Short mmCIF file of all heavy atoms in Angstrom, two decimals:
data_model
loop_
_atom_site.label_atom_id
_atom_site.label_comp_id
_atom_site.label_asym_id
_atom_site.label_seq_id
_atom_site.Cartn_x
_atom_site.Cartn_y
_atom_site.Cartn_z
N MET A 201 -23.08 1.46 -4.02
CA MET A 201 -22.01 2.20 -3.42
C MET A 201 -21.04 1.27 -2.69
O MET A 201 -19.83 1.45 -2.77
CB MET A 201 -22.61 3.25 -2.46
CG MET A 201 -21.64 4.28 -2.03
SD MET A 201 -21.57 5.59 -3.25
CE MET A 201 -21.26 6.94 -2.20
N ARG A 202 -21.56 0.25 -2.00
CA ARG A 202 -20.69 -0.69 -1.28
C ARG A 202 -19.84 -1.49 -2.25
O ARG A 202 -18.69 -1.80 -1.96
CB ARG A 202 -21.52 -1.63 -0.41
CG ARG A 202 -22.08 -0.96 0.83
CD ARG A 202 -23.08 -1.84 1.57
NE ARG A 202 -22.53 -3.07 2.10
CZ ARG A 202 -22.04 -3.20 3.33
NH1 ARG A 202 -22.04 -2.17 4.15
NH2 ARG A 202 -21.59 -4.36 3.75
N HIS A 203 -20.41 -1.83 -3.42
CA HIS A 203 -19.65 -2.58 -4.42
C HIS A 203 -18.45 -1.77 -4.89
O HIS A 203 -17.32 -2.27 -4.96
CB HIS A 203 -20.52 -2.94 -5.62
CG HIS A 203 -21.46 -4.06 -5.38
ND1 HIS A 203 -22.66 -3.89 -4.73
CD2 HIS A 203 -21.38 -5.37 -5.69
CE1 HIS A 203 -23.28 -5.05 -4.66
NE2 HIS A 203 -22.52 -5.97 -5.23
N SER A 204 -18.68 -0.53 -5.24
CA SER A 204 -17.60 0.34 -5.73
C SER A 204 -16.54 0.55 -4.66
O SER A 204 -15.34 0.46 -4.93
CB SER A 204 -18.16 1.70 -6.16
OG SER A 204 -19.02 1.53 -7.26
N PHE A 205 -16.99 0.82 -3.44
CA PHE A 205 -16.07 1.03 -2.33
C PHE A 205 -15.19 -0.20 -2.13
O PHE A 205 -13.96 -0.10 -2.03
CB PHE A 205 -16.86 1.34 -1.05
CG PHE A 205 -16.02 1.44 0.18
CD1 PHE A 205 -15.18 2.53 0.37
CD2 PHE A 205 -16.08 0.47 1.16
CE1 PHE A 205 -14.42 2.64 1.53
CE2 PHE A 205 -15.31 0.56 2.31
CZ PHE A 205 -14.48 1.66 2.49
N THR A 206 -15.80 -1.37 -2.09
CA THR A 206 -15.06 -2.61 -1.87
C THR A 206 -14.10 -2.89 -3.02
O THR A 206 -12.95 -3.28 -2.80
CB THR A 206 -16.02 -3.79 -1.67
OG1 THR A 206 -16.93 -3.46 -0.61
CG2 THR A 206 -15.28 -5.06 -1.33
N THR A 207 -14.56 -2.70 -4.23
CA THR A 207 -13.71 -2.93 -5.40
C THR A 207 -12.50 -2.01 -5.38
O THR A 207 -11.38 -2.43 -5.67
CB THR A 207 -14.52 -2.74 -6.70
OG1 THR A 207 -15.60 -3.68 -6.70
CG2 THR A 207 -13.66 -2.99 -7.92
N ARG A 208 -12.70 -0.73 -5.02
CA ARG A 208 -11.56 0.20 -4.94
C ARG A 208 -10.57 -0.24 -3.86
O ARG A 208 -9.35 -0.14 -4.05
CB ARG A 208 -12.03 1.62 -4.64
CG ARG A 208 -12.97 2.25 -5.66
CD ARG A 208 -12.39 2.48 -7.05
NE ARG A 208 -12.54 1.42 -7.99
CZ ARG A 208 -13.65 1.11 -8.67
NH1 ARG A 208 -14.76 1.79 -8.51
NH2 ARG A 208 -13.66 0.11 -9.53
N LEU A 209 -11.06 -0.74 -2.74
CA LEU A 209 -10.16 -1.24 -1.68
C LEU A 209 -9.36 -2.43 -2.18
O LEU A 209 -8.15 -2.52 -1.94
CB LEU A 209 -10.95 -1.62 -0.43
CG LEU A 209 -11.61 -0.48 0.34
CD1 LEU A 209 -12.46 -1.04 1.48
CD2 LEU A 209 -10.58 0.50 0.86
N VAL A 210 -10.01 -3.34 -2.89
CA VAL A 210 -9.31 -4.51 -3.43
C VAL A 210 -8.25 -4.06 -4.43
O VAL A 210 -7.12 -4.56 -4.43
CB VAL A 210 -10.31 -5.50 -4.09
CG1 VAL A 210 -9.59 -6.59 -4.86
CG2 VAL A 210 -11.22 -6.11 -3.03
N GLU A 211 -8.59 -3.10 -5.27
CA GLU A 211 -7.63 -2.59 -6.26
C GLU A 211 -6.41 -1.97 -5.60
O GLU A 211 -5.32 -1.97 -6.17
CB GLU A 211 -8.30 -1.55 -7.16
CG GLU A 211 -9.28 -2.14 -8.14
CD GLU A 211 -10.01 -1.09 -8.94
OE1 GLU A 211 -10.10 0.08 -8.50
OE2 GLU A 211 -10.52 -1.44 -10.01
N GLN A 212 -6.56 -1.46 -4.39
CA GLN A 212 -5.45 -0.84 -3.67
C GLN A 212 -4.72 -1.83 -2.76
O GLN A 212 -3.90 -1.44 -1.94
CB GLN A 212 -5.96 0.35 -2.85
CG GLN A 212 -6.50 1.47 -3.69
CD GLN A 212 -5.48 1.98 -4.68
OE1 GLN A 212 -4.34 2.26 -4.33
NE2 GLN A 212 -5.87 2.10 -5.94
N ASN A 213 -5.03 -3.12 -2.93
CA ASN A 213 -4.38 -4.20 -2.17
C ASN A 213 -4.60 -4.10 -0.66
O ASN A 213 -3.74 -4.49 0.12
CB ASN A 213 -2.88 -4.28 -2.47
CG ASN A 213 -2.62 -4.66 -3.90
OD1 ASN A 213 -3.30 -5.53 -4.45
ND2 ASN A 213 -1.65 -4.02 -4.52
N VAL A 214 -5.75 -3.57 -0.26
CA VAL A 214 -6.09 -3.55 1.16
C VAL A 214 -6.35 -5.00 1.58
O VAL A 214 -6.97 -5.78 0.85
CB VAL A 214 -7.33 -2.67 1.43
CG1 VAL A 214 -7.79 -2.77 2.87
CG2 VAL A 214 -7.03 -1.22 1.05
N ASN A 215 -5.85 -5.38 2.74
CA ASN A 215 -6.01 -6.74 3.26
C ASN A 215 -7.48 -7.12 3.26
O ASN A 215 -8.34 -6.37 3.74
CB ASN A 215 -5.42 -6.80 4.67
CG ASN A 215 -5.49 -8.18 5.26
OD1 ASN A 215 -6.55 -8.66 5.62
ND2 ASN A 215 -4.33 -8.81 5.36
N LEU A 216 -7.78 -8.31 2.74
CA LEU A 216 -9.16 -8.76 2.61
C LEU A 216 -9.87 -8.89 3.96
O LEU A 216 -11.07 -8.63 4.06
CB LEU A 216 -9.22 -10.09 1.86
CG LEU A 216 -8.77 -10.01 0.40
CD1 LEU A 216 -8.73 -11.40 -0.21
CD2 LEU A 216 -9.67 -9.09 -0.40
N LYS A 217 -9.15 -9.28 5.00
CA LYS A 217 -9.76 -9.37 6.32
C LYS A 217 -10.12 -7.99 6.86
O LYS A 217 -11.12 -7.83 7.55
CB LYS A 217 -8.82 -10.09 7.30
CG LYS A 217 -8.56 -11.56 6.95
CD LYS A 217 -9.84 -12.38 6.94
CE LYS A 217 -10.27 -12.73 8.35
NZ LYS A 217 -11.45 -13.61 8.38
N VAL A 218 -9.35 -6.96 6.50
CA VAL A 218 -9.68 -5.59 6.90
C VAL A 218 -10.95 -5.15 6.18
O VAL A 218 -11.84 -4.55 6.79
CB VAL A 218 -8.50 -4.63 6.58
CG1 VAL A 218 -8.90 -3.18 6.79
CG2 VAL A 218 -7.29 -5.00 7.43
N ILE A 219 -11.05 -5.46 4.90
CA ILE A 219 -12.25 -5.11 4.13
C ILE A 219 -13.46 -5.83 4.72
O ILE A 219 -14.52 -5.22 4.92
CB ILE A 219 -12.08 -5.47 2.64
CG1 ILE A 219 -10.94 -4.65 2.03
CG2 ILE A 219 -13.39 -5.23 1.88
CD1 ILE A 219 -10.56 -5.08 0.62
N GLN A 220 -13.31 -7.11 5.02
CA GLN A 220 -14.40 -7.89 5.61
C GLN A 220 -14.89 -7.23 6.90
O GLN A 220 -16.08 -7.05 7.12
CB GLN A 220 -13.93 -9.32 5.89
CG GLN A 220 -14.95 -10.17 6.62
CD GLN A 220 -14.37 -11.50 7.10
OE1 GLN A 220 -13.20 -11.80 6.89
NE2 GLN A 220 -15.18 -12.28 7.75
N ASP A 221 -13.95 -6.85 7.77
CA ASP A 221 -14.30 -6.22 9.04
C ASP A 221 -14.97 -4.87 8.82
O ASP A 221 -15.97 -4.55 9.47
CB ASP A 221 -13.03 -6.06 9.88
CG ASP A 221 -13.32 -5.46 11.24
OD1 ASP A 221 -14.02 -6.13 12.04
OD2 ASP A 221 -12.87 -4.33 11.50
N CYS A 222 -14.44 -4.10 7.88
CA CYS A 222 -15.00 -2.78 7.58
C CYS A 222 -16.46 -2.87 7.13
O CYS A 222 -17.29 -2.04 7.50
CB CYS A 222 -14.15 -2.12 6.51
SG CYS A 222 -14.69 -0.48 6.03
N LEU A 223 -16.75 -3.91 6.35
CA LEU A 223 -18.12 -4.09 5.84
C LEU A 223 -19.03 -4.81 6.83
O LEU A 223 -20.24 -4.88 6.62
CB LEU A 223 -18.08 -4.85 4.52
CG LEU A 223 -17.39 -4.13 3.35
CD1 LEU A 223 -17.29 -5.06 2.15
CD2 LEU A 223 -18.12 -2.86 3.00
N GLY A 224 -18.44 -5.35 7.90
CA GLY A 224 -19.25 -6.04 8.92
C GLY A 224 -19.69 -7.43 8.52
O GLY A 224 -20.69 -7.94 9.04
N HIS A 225 -18.94 -8.07 7.61
CA HIS A 225 -19.30 -9.42 7.17
C HIS A 225 -18.70 -10.46 8.10
O HIS A 225 -17.54 -10.38 8.47
CB HIS A 225 -18.79 -9.68 5.75
CG HIS A 225 -19.41 -8.80 4.73
ND1 HIS A 225 -18.79 -8.50 3.54
CD2 HIS A 225 -20.60 -8.16 4.69
CE1 HIS A 225 -19.58 -7.72 2.82
NE2 HIS A 225 -20.68 -7.50 3.51
N LYS A 226 -19.51 -11.44 8.48
CA LYS A 226 -19.00 -12.54 9.30
C LYS A 226 -18.23 -13.54 8.45
O LYS A 226 -17.33 -14.20 8.94
CB LYS A 226 -20.15 -13.25 10.01
CG LYS A 226 -20.81 -12.40 11.07
CD LYS A 226 -21.92 -13.15 11.77
CE LYS A 226 -22.56 -12.25 12.80
NZ LYS A 226 -23.66 -12.91 13.49
N ASP A 227 -18.59 -13.64 7.18
CA ASP A 227 -18.01 -14.64 6.28
C ASP A 227 -17.26 -13.92 5.16
O ASP A 227 -17.82 -13.08 4.45
CB ASP A 227 -19.13 -15.50 5.71
CG ASP A 227 -18.65 -16.66 4.88
OD1 ASP A 227 -17.43 -16.80 4.66
OD2 ASP A 227 -19.51 -17.44 4.44
N ILE A 228 -15.98 -14.27 4.97
CA ILE A 228 -15.18 -13.64 3.92
C ILE A 228 -15.76 -13.89 2.53
O ILE A 228 -15.60 -13.08 1.62
CB ILE A 228 -13.70 -14.10 3.99
CG1 ILE A 228 -12.79 -13.24 3.07
CG2 ILE A 228 -13.56 -15.56 3.60
CD1 ILE A 228 -12.58 -11.86 3.54
N GLU A 229 -16.46 -15.00 2.36
CA GLU A 229 -17.05 -15.30 1.05
C GLU A 229 -18.08 -14.25 0.64
O GLU A 229 -18.23 -13.96 -0.54
CB GLU A 229 -17.65 -16.71 1.04
CG GLU A 229 -16.57 -17.77 1.07
CD GLU A 229 -17.09 -19.16 0.75
OE1 GLU A 229 -18.14 -19.27 0.08
OE2 GLU A 229 -16.44 -20.11 1.15
N THR A 230 -18.79 -13.68 1.61
CA THR A 230 -19.74 -12.60 1.29
C THR A 230 -18.98 -11.42 0.70
O THR A 230 -19.39 -10.85 -0.32
CB THR A 230 -20.49 -12.16 2.56
OG1 THR A 230 -21.17 -13.28 3.09
CG2 THR A 230 -21.48 -11.05 2.25
N THR A 231 -17.88 -11.08 1.32
CA THR A 231 -17.07 -9.96 0.84
C THR A 231 -16.56 -10.23 -0.56
O THR A 231 -16.66 -9.39 -1.45
CB THR A 231 -15.87 -9.72 1.79
OG1 THR A 231 -16.35 -9.59 3.12
CG2 THR A 231 -15.10 -8.49 1.39
N LEU A 232 -16.01 -11.42 -0.76
CA LEU A 232 -15.39 -11.75 -2.05
C LEU A 232 -16.40 -11.99 -3.16
O LEU A 232 -16.22 -11.52 -4.28
CB LEU A 232 -14.49 -12.96 -1.89
CG LEU A 232 -13.27 -12.77 -0.98
CD1 LEU A 232 -12.56 -14.10 -0.78
CD2 LEU A 232 -12.35 -11.73 -1.58
N ASN A 233 -17.42 -12.76 -2.89
CA ASN A 233 -18.34 -13.18 -3.95
C ASN A 233 -19.39 -12.15 -4.31
O ASN A 233 -19.90 -12.16 -5.43
CB ASN A 233 -19.02 -14.49 -3.56
CG ASN A 233 -18.05 -15.64 -3.50
OD1 ASN A 233 -17.00 -15.63 -4.15
ND2 ASN A 233 -18.36 -16.64 -2.70
N ILE A 234 -19.73 -11.26 -3.40
CA ILE A 234 -20.80 -10.30 -3.67
C ILE A 234 -20.25 -8.90 -3.91
O ILE A 234 -20.72 -8.19 -4.80
CB ILE A 234 -21.83 -10.29 -2.52
CG1 ILE A 234 -22.50 -11.66 -2.44
CG2 ILE A 234 -22.85 -9.18 -2.71
CD1 ILE A 234 -23.43 -11.84 -1.27
N TYR A 235 -19.25 -8.50 -3.15
CA TYR A 235 -18.83 -7.10 -3.18
C TYR A 235 -17.53 -6.80 -3.90
O TYR A 235 -17.29 -5.69 -4.33
CB TYR A 235 -18.75 -6.55 -1.76
CG TYR A 235 -20.10 -6.39 -1.13
CD1 TYR A 235 -20.62 -7.37 -0.31
CD2 TYR A 235 -20.87 -5.27 -1.40
CE1 TYR A 235 -21.89 -7.23 0.25
CE2 TYR A 235 -22.13 -5.12 -0.86
CZ TYR A 235 -22.63 -6.10 -0.03
OH TYR A 235 -23.88 -5.97 0.51
N ALA A 236 -16.64 -7.75 -4.00
CA ALA A 236 -15.32 -7.48 -4.60
C ALA A 236 -15.32 -7.87 -6.07
O ALA A 236 -14.97 -8.97 -6.44
CB ALA A 236 -14.24 -8.24 -3.85
N ASP A 237 -15.71 -6.92 -6.91
CA ASP A 237 -15.75 -7.17 -8.35
C ASP A 237 -14.36 -7.04 -8.95
O ASP A 237 -13.53 -6.26 -8.48
CB ASP A 237 -16.68 -6.16 -9.04
CG ASP A 237 -18.11 -6.30 -8.57
OD1 ASP A 237 -18.54 -7.44 -8.30
OD2 ASP A 237 -18.81 -5.27 -8.47
N VAL A 238 -14.11 -7.80 -10.01
CA VAL A 238 -12.85 -7.69 -10.74
C VAL A 238 -13.09 -6.75 -11.91
O VAL A 238 -13.92 -7.02 -12.78
CB VAL A 238 -12.37 -9.07 -11.25
CG1 VAL A 238 -11.12 -8.92 -12.10
CG2 VAL A 238 -12.13 -10.02 -10.09
N THR A 239 -12.36 -5.66 -11.93
CA THR A 239 -12.50 -4.71 -13.02
C THR A 239 -11.44 -5.02 -14.08
O THR A 239 -10.46 -5.71 -13.82
CB THR A 239 -12.30 -3.27 -12.52
OG1 THR A 239 -10.98 -3.14 -12.01
CG2 THR A 239 -13.31 -2.90 -11.45
N ASN A 240 -11.64 -4.48 -15.27
CA ASN A 240 -10.65 -4.67 -16.33
C ASN A 240 -9.31 -4.09 -15.91
O ASN A 240 -8.26 -4.66 -16.20
CB ASN A 240 -11.12 -4.01 -17.64
CG ASN A 240 -12.19 -4.82 -18.31
OD1 ASN A 240 -12.29 -6.03 -18.13
ND2 ASN A 240 -13.03 -4.15 -19.09
N GLY A 241 -9.34 -2.95 -15.21
CA GLY A 241 -8.10 -2.33 -14.76
C GLY A 241 -7.35 -3.22 -13.77
O GLY A 241 -6.14 -3.37 -13.84
N LEU A 242 -8.08 -3.82 -12.85
CA LEU A 242 -7.46 -4.72 -11.86
C LEU A 242 -6.90 -5.95 -12.55
O LEU A 242 -5.79 -6.38 -12.27
CB LEU A 242 -8.48 -5.12 -10.79
CG LEU A 242 -7.98 -6.08 -9.71
CD1 LEU A 242 -6.80 -5.50 -8.95
CD2 LEU A 242 -9.11 -6.43 -8.74
N ARG A 243 -7.64 -6.50 -13.49
CA ARG A 243 -7.18 -7.67 -14.23
C ARG A 243 -5.88 -7.35 -14.97
O ARG A 243 -4.91 -8.09 -14.89
CB ARG A 243 -8.25 -8.13 -15.21
CG ARG A 243 -7.90 -9.41 -15.95
CD ARG A 243 -9.01 -9.86 -16.91
NE ARG A 243 -10.23 -10.20 -16.19
CZ ARG A 243 -11.37 -9.49 -16.25
NH1 ARG A 243 -11.45 -8.40 -16.99
NH2 ARG A 243 -12.44 -9.87 -15.57
N LYS A 244 -5.86 -6.22 -15.68
CA LYS A 244 -4.66 -5.82 -16.42
C LYS A 244 -3.48 -5.59 -15.48
O LYS A 244 -2.35 -5.99 -15.77
CB LYS A 244 -4.93 -4.55 -17.22
CG LYS A 244 -5.81 -4.77 -18.43
CD LYS A 244 -6.07 -3.47 -19.16
CE LYS A 244 -7.02 -3.68 -20.32
NZ LYS A 244 -7.31 -2.42 -21.01
N LYS A 245 -3.73 -4.94 -14.35
CA LYS A 245 -2.68 -4.66 -13.38
C LYS A 245 -2.08 -5.95 -12.84
O LYS A 245 -0.86 -6.10 -12.78
CB LYS A 245 -3.26 -3.83 -12.23
CG LYS A 245 -2.31 -3.57 -11.09
CD LYS A 245 -3.03 -2.80 -9.98
CE LYS A 245 -2.39 -3.08 -8.66
NZ LYS A 245 -3.17 -2.59 -7.54
N GLU A 246 -2.91 -6.90 -12.47
CA GLU A 246 -2.43 -8.16 -11.91
C GLU A 246 -1.64 -8.98 -12.94
O GLU A 246 -0.60 -9.55 -12.61
CB GLU A 246 -3.59 -8.98 -11.35
CG GLU A 246 -4.24 -8.35 -10.12
CD GLU A 246 -3.29 -8.20 -8.95
OE1 GLU A 246 -2.52 -9.14 -8.66
OE2 GLU A 246 -3.32 -7.13 -8.31
N PHE A 247 -2.12 -9.02 -14.17
CA PHE A 247 -1.40 -9.77 -15.19
C PHE A 247 -0.11 -9.08 -15.60
O PHE A 247 0.88 -9.74 -15.92
CB PHE A 247 -2.29 -10.06 -16.41
CG PHE A 247 -3.13 -11.29 -16.22
CD1 PHE A 247 -4.46 -11.18 -15.85
CD2 PHE A 247 -2.59 -12.55 -16.37
CE1 PHE A 247 -5.23 -12.31 -15.64
CE2 PHE A 247 -3.35 -13.69 -16.17
CZ PHE A 247 -4.67 -13.57 -15.80
N ALA A 248 -0.09 -7.75 -15.58
CA ALA A 248 1.15 -7.03 -15.86
C ALA A 248 2.19 -7.33 -14.79
O ALA A 248 3.37 -7.54 -15.09
CB ALA A 248 0.88 -5.53 -15.95
N GLU A 249 1.76 -7.38 -13.53
CA GLU A 249 2.68 -7.70 -12.44
C GLU A 249 3.19 -9.14 -12.56
O GLU A 249 4.37 -9.40 -12.36
CB GLU A 249 1.98 -7.50 -11.09
CG GLU A 249 2.83 -7.82 -9.89
CD GLU A 249 4.05 -6.91 -9.72
OE1 GLU A 249 4.12 -5.85 -10.36
OE2 GLU A 249 4.94 -7.28 -8.94
N LEU A 250 2.30 -10.06 -12.90
CA LEU A 250 2.70 -11.45 -13.10
C LEU A 250 3.71 -11.55 -14.25
O LEU A 250 4.74 -12.22 -14.14
CB LEU A 250 1.48 -12.32 -13.39
CG LEU A 250 1.75 -13.79 -13.69
CD1 LEU A 250 2.41 -14.47 -12.50
CD2 LEU A 250 0.46 -14.48 -14.07
N ASP A 251 3.45 -10.86 -15.34
CA ASP A 251 4.35 -10.86 -16.49
C ASP A 251 5.72 -10.31 -16.10
O ASP A 251 6.75 -10.86 -16.46
CB ASP A 251 3.74 -10.03 -17.62
CG ASP A 251 4.52 -10.13 -18.90
OD1 ASP A 251 4.86 -11.27 -19.32
OD2 ASP A 251 4.79 -9.07 -19.51
N ARG A 252 5.73 -9.20 -15.33
CA ARG A 252 6.99 -8.61 -14.88
C ARG A 252 7.78 -9.59 -14.03
O ARG A 252 8.98 -9.76 -14.21
CB ARG A 252 6.72 -7.34 -14.09
CG ARG A 252 7.99 -6.60 -13.66
CD ARG A 252 7.70 -5.49 -12.67
NE ARG A 252 7.24 -5.96 -11.39
CZ ARG A 252 8.01 -6.53 -10.45
NH1 ARG A 252 9.30 -6.69 -10.67
NH2 ARG A 252 7.51 -6.92 -9.30
N LYS A 253 7.10 -10.26 -13.11
CA LYS A 253 7.78 -11.22 -12.24
C LYS A 253 8.35 -12.39 -13.04
O LYS A 253 9.45 -12.86 -12.76
CB LYS A 253 6.83 -11.75 -11.17
CG LYS A 253 6.53 -10.73 -10.10
CD LYS A 253 5.57 -11.27 -9.07
CE LYS A 253 5.29 -10.24 -8.00
NZ LYS A 253 4.33 -10.74 -7.00
N MET A 254 7.60 -12.85 -14.03
CA MET A 254 8.07 -13.97 -14.83
C MET A 254 9.28 -13.57 -15.67
O MET A 254 10.22 -14.35 -15.82
CB MET A 254 6.95 -14.50 -15.71
CG MET A 254 5.86 -15.19 -14.91
SD MET A 254 4.49 -15.77 -15.92
CE MET A 254 5.25 -17.14 -16.73
N LYS A 255 9.28 -12.37 -16.20
CA LYS A 255 10.41 -11.90 -17.01
C LYS A 255 11.65 -11.69 -16.15
O LYS A 255 12.76 -11.85 -16.63
CB LYS A 255 10.05 -10.60 -17.73
CG LYS A 255 9.11 -10.81 -18.89
CD LYS A 255 8.77 -9.51 -19.57
CE LYS A 255 7.82 -9.77 -20.74
NZ LYS A 255 7.41 -8.51 -21.38
N ASN A 256 11.46 -11.30 -14.90
CA ASN A 256 12.59 -11.03 -14.02
C ASN A 256 13.10 -12.28 -13.31
O ASN A 256 14.16 -12.24 -12.70
CB ASN A 256 12.21 -9.98 -12.98
CG ASN A 256 12.07 -8.61 -13.60
OD1 ASN A 256 12.65 -8.32 -14.62
ND2 ASN A 256 11.28 -7.77 -12.97
N SER A 257 12.34 -13.35 -13.36
CA SER A 257 12.80 -14.54 -12.65
C SER A 257 13.89 -15.23 -13.48
O SER A 257 13.89 -15.22 -14.70
CB SER A 257 11.64 -15.50 -12.39
OG SER A 257 11.18 -16.04 -13.60
N VAL A 258 14.83 -15.80 -12.80
CA VAL A 258 15.93 -16.51 -13.45
C VAL A 258 15.83 -17.96 -13.05
O VAL A 258 15.82 -18.29 -11.87
CB VAL A 258 17.30 -15.94 -13.01
CG1 VAL A 258 18.43 -16.72 -13.64
CG2 VAL A 258 17.39 -14.46 -13.35
N LEU A 259 15.73 -18.81 -14.05
CA LEU A 259 15.70 -20.23 -13.76
C LEU A 259 17.12 -20.72 -13.58
O LEU A 259 17.99 -20.48 -14.41
CB LEU A 259 15.03 -20.99 -14.91
CG LEU A 259 13.58 -20.64 -15.18
CD1 LEU A 259 13.07 -21.39 -16.40
CD2 LEU A 259 12.72 -20.96 -13.98
N GLU A 260 17.35 -21.38 -12.48
CA GLU A 260 18.69 -21.88 -12.21
C GLU A 260 18.69 -23.39 -12.37
O GLU A 260 17.87 -24.09 -11.81
CB GLU A 260 19.10 -21.51 -10.78
CG GLU A 260 19.22 -20.02 -10.60
CD GLU A 260 19.70 -19.65 -9.21
OE1 GLU A 260 20.22 -20.54 -8.51
OE2 GLU A 260 19.56 -18.49 -8.85
N TYR A 261 19.64 -23.86 -13.16
CA TYR A 261 19.81 -25.27 -13.39
C TYR A 261 21.13 -25.71 -12.77
O TYR A 261 22.11 -24.98 -12.86
CB TYR A 261 19.82 -25.59 -14.89
CG TYR A 261 18.52 -25.24 -15.56
CD1 TYR A 261 18.37 -24.06 -16.27
CD2 TYR A 261 17.44 -26.11 -15.48
CE1 TYR A 261 17.17 -23.74 -16.88
CE2 TYR A 261 16.23 -25.79 -16.10
CZ TYR A 261 16.11 -24.61 -16.78
OH TYR A 261 14.94 -24.30 -17.38
N PRO A 262 21.17 -26.87 -12.16
CA PRO A 262 22.43 -27.34 -11.56
C PRO A 262 23.54 -27.38 -12.61
O PRO A 262 23.35 -27.85 -13.72
CB PRO A 262 22.09 -28.75 -11.08
CG PRO A 262 20.61 -28.76 -10.94
CD PRO A 262 20.09 -27.80 -11.98
N GLY A 263 24.70 -26.82 -12.24
CA GLY A 263 25.85 -26.85 -13.14
C GLY A 263 25.80 -25.85 -14.27
O GLY A 263 26.59 -25.92 -15.20
N SER A 264 24.88 -24.89 -14.22
CA SER A 264 24.76 -23.95 -15.33
C SER A 264 25.48 -22.64 -15.07
O SER A 264 25.33 -21.71 -15.83
CB SER A 264 23.28 -23.66 -15.62
OG SER A 264 22.69 -22.98 -14.53
N GLN A 265 26.28 -22.54 -14.00
CA GLN A 265 26.99 -21.31 -13.71
C GLN A 265 28.01 -21.03 -14.81
O GLN A 265 28.59 -21.93 -15.39
CB GLN A 265 27.73 -21.39 -12.36
CG GLN A 265 26.81 -21.53 -11.18
CD GLN A 265 26.53 -22.99 -10.83
OE1 GLN A 265 26.84 -23.89 -11.59
NE2 GLN A 265 25.93 -23.22 -9.68
N ASP A 266 28.24 -19.75 -15.05
CA ASP A 266 29.24 -19.35 -16.04
C ASP A 266 30.63 -19.53 -15.47
O ASP A 266 30.86 -19.37 -14.29
CB ASP A 266 29.05 -17.87 -16.41
CG ASP A 266 27.79 -17.65 -17.21
OD1 ASP A 266 27.31 -18.58 -17.87
OD2 ASP A 266 27.29 -16.51 -17.16
N LYS A 267 31.57 -19.80 -16.35
CA LYS A 267 32.98 -19.87 -15.96
C LYS A 267 33.51 -18.45 -15.95
O LYS A 267 33.41 -17.75 -16.95
CB LYS A 267 33.76 -20.74 -16.92
CG LYS A 267 33.30 -22.19 -16.91
CD LYS A 267 34.07 -23.00 -17.92
CE LYS A 267 33.55 -24.42 -17.95
NZ LYS A 267 34.22 -25.24 -18.94
N SER A 268 34.06 -18.02 -14.82
CA SER A 268 34.48 -16.62 -14.71
C SER A 268 35.84 -16.36 -15.33
O SER A 268 36.01 -15.41 -16.05
CB SER A 268 34.47 -16.18 -13.24
OG SER A 268 35.29 -17.05 -12.49
N ASP A 269 36.85 -17.18 -15.07
CA ASP A 269 38.19 -16.90 -15.59
C ASP A 269 38.82 -18.16 -16.18
O ASP A 269 39.99 -18.43 -15.99
CB ASP A 269 39.07 -16.28 -14.53
CG ASP A 269 39.17 -17.17 -13.29
OD1 ASP A 269 38.55 -18.25 -13.27
OD2 ASP A 269 39.88 -16.76 -12.35
N GLY A 270 38.01 -18.91 -16.87
CA GLY A 270 38.52 -20.11 -17.49
C GLY A 270 38.57 -21.29 -16.53
O GLY A 270 38.96 -22.38 -16.91
N GLU A 271 38.22 -21.07 -15.29
CA GLU A 271 38.23 -22.13 -14.28
C GLU A 271 37.04 -23.04 -14.52
O GLU A 271 36.00 -22.62 -15.00
CB GLU A 271 38.14 -21.54 -12.87
CG GLU A 271 39.31 -20.67 -12.50
CD GLU A 271 40.54 -21.50 -12.15
OE1 GLU A 271 40.35 -22.59 -11.57
OE2 GLU A 271 41.64 -21.03 -12.44
N GLU A 272 37.20 -24.28 -14.15
CA GLU A 272 36.07 -25.20 -14.25
C GLU A 272 35.09 -24.91 -13.13
O GLU A 272 35.48 -24.51 -12.03
CB GLU A 272 36.57 -26.64 -14.15
CG GLU A 272 37.41 -27.05 -15.34
CD GLU A 272 37.84 -28.50 -15.24
OE1 GLU A 272 37.52 -29.17 -14.25
OE2 GLU A 272 38.52 -28.96 -16.17
N VAL A 273 33.82 -25.07 -13.42
CA VAL A 273 32.78 -24.85 -12.45
C VAL A 273 32.15 -26.18 -12.08
O VAL A 273 31.88 -27.00 -12.95
CB VAL A 273 31.69 -23.90 -13.02
CG1 VAL A 273 30.56 -23.69 -12.03
CG2 VAL A 273 32.31 -22.56 -13.42
N ASN A 274 31.95 -26.42 -10.81
CA ASN A 274 31.36 -27.65 -10.30
C ASN A 274 32.16 -28.88 -10.73
O ASN A 274 31.59 -29.94 -10.97
CB ASN A 274 29.90 -27.79 -10.76
CG ASN A 274 28.99 -26.78 -10.13
OD1 ASN A 274 29.29 -26.25 -9.06
ND2 ASN A 274 27.88 -26.50 -10.77
N GLY A 275 33.45 -28.73 -10.90
CA GLY A 275 34.28 -29.88 -11.20
C GLY A 275 34.22 -30.35 -12.65
O GLY A 275 34.70 -31.40 -12.99
N PHE A 276 33.64 -29.54 -13.53
CA PHE A 276 33.52 -29.93 -14.94
C PHE A 276 34.44 -29.11 -15.81
O PHE A 276 34.66 -27.97 -15.66
CB PHE A 276 32.08 -29.79 -15.46
CG PHE A 276 31.12 -30.67 -14.75
CD1 PHE A 276 30.26 -30.16 -13.78
CD2 PHE A 276 31.07 -32.03 -15.00
CE1 PHE A 276 29.37 -30.98 -13.13
CE2 PHE A 276 30.18 -32.85 -14.34
CZ PHE A 276 29.33 -32.31 -13.41
#
């Protein structure tokens, strides 16, 4: 029951220190290594979020700005 409870808290992004305190663990490693299981759903959710962030990120290169009205950008 403690495993399921802890895993559900982790899946809901509850702060790990709050979970540790709730379970009465002195060491966070006990909480993480014994009670916080990674489920397939959590794995998929985390990788989907990572994929979304990567797709939405824009890599900026120096001097790569678009020319808006035929003007030179960055002196080029």
